[in-house]
Amino acid sequence: PVLCVDTTASGKIYRSRFTAWALGFPCSIGPMLLAVCNCKEEPTIHYIGAVSYFACFAVWCLLCSFKELSLSDEKATIWVAARQVLSIVAIWCTLALAALYLLGYTSLSWQVALSEWSAVVCAELFVLTFYFDLGDCYFVEQVREFMGRGGASGYRLLEDGDTDPAE
């Protein structure tokens, strides 16, 4: 069965249209620029894509971690602490990457590669912690809510094997 779930039921689901547009949009454009613009042929656009992805994702991680500071003790799991540490490490990796770019290092230097891949690993581990923290409960935001046809019932708790009734 599919149940309607309050968006604040877990205390760990974050929803903000401003954050989605201010951080999510530039963050999603970053990998597209990285894929299209090679660091040897078009380094400026490549650097803009890298900095926009890493900076926006690191700030999003930090915002999520700050929102979790107010969680009660029973909701503050080891995964919450792991996210806080990973968000701080991701910010430092991103700042190091930006500083290296400003100092004239190219994407071919090992320092830039180390900063980039450290930030990527932190970002992926940050996202992975939500799986372990939230378990098998997946909250899916319906597109129709964004289109103005959903309201608070736009979130559904789907059990294994269930399909969305809106499909």
Side-chain angles (χ1 to χ4, degrees):
V2 179
L3 306 170
C4 291
V5 179
D6 182 24
T7 58
T8 58
S10 70
K12 297 178 186 175
I13 302 297
Y14 315 115
R15 186 174 98 173
S16 167
R17 285 191 181 164
F18 175 76
T19 303
W21 284 105
L23 296 174
F25 186 69
C27 184
S28 65
I29 288 180
M32 289 188 287
L33 291 176
L34 290 171
V36 171
C37 298
N38 170 324
C39 64
K40 290 180 185 176
E41 295 173 7
E42 198 58 52
T44 305
I45 296 175
H46 184 83
Y47 298 155
I48 291 169
V51 170
S52 70
Y53 169 72
F54 290 120
C56 291
F57 200 88
V59 169
W60 178 78
C61 291
L62 202 60
L63 286 176
C64 286
S65 296
F66 277 117
K67 286 185 178 190
E68 289 182 331
L69 289 176
S70 64
L71 290 177
S72 60
D73 288 339
E74 63 271 3
K75 289 185 179 179
T77 64
I78 188 71
W79 300 111
V80 171
R83 277 194 290 279
Q84 291 167 348
V85 169
L86 287 168
S87 69
I88 292 170
V89 173
I91 283 286
W92 279 108
C93 291
T94 302
L95 290 174
L97 180 64
L100 289 169
Y101 283 151
L102 289 175
L103 291 173
Y105 285 82
T106 66
S107 291
L108 303 175
S109 67
W110 69 268
Q111 295 93 338
V112 169
L114 180 66
S115 296
E116 282 182 343
W117 283 105
S118 298
V120 167
V121 168
C122 285
E124 296 303 319
L125 289 175
F126 184 90
V127 171
L128 186 63
T129 62
F130 283 105
Y131 173 76
F132 294 112
D133 197 12
L134 298 176
D136 288 336
C137 296
Y138 298 101
F139 293 84
V140 179
E141 183 174 1
Q142 304 297 323
V143 174
R144 67 177 182 272
E145 178 184 345
F146 180 74
M147 305 294 276
R149 297 181 299 171
S153 65
Y155 286 88
R156 305 268 190 247
L157 177 61
L158 301 177
E159 301 293 333
D160 286 339
D162 288 346
T163 58
D164 186 2
E167 294 178 343

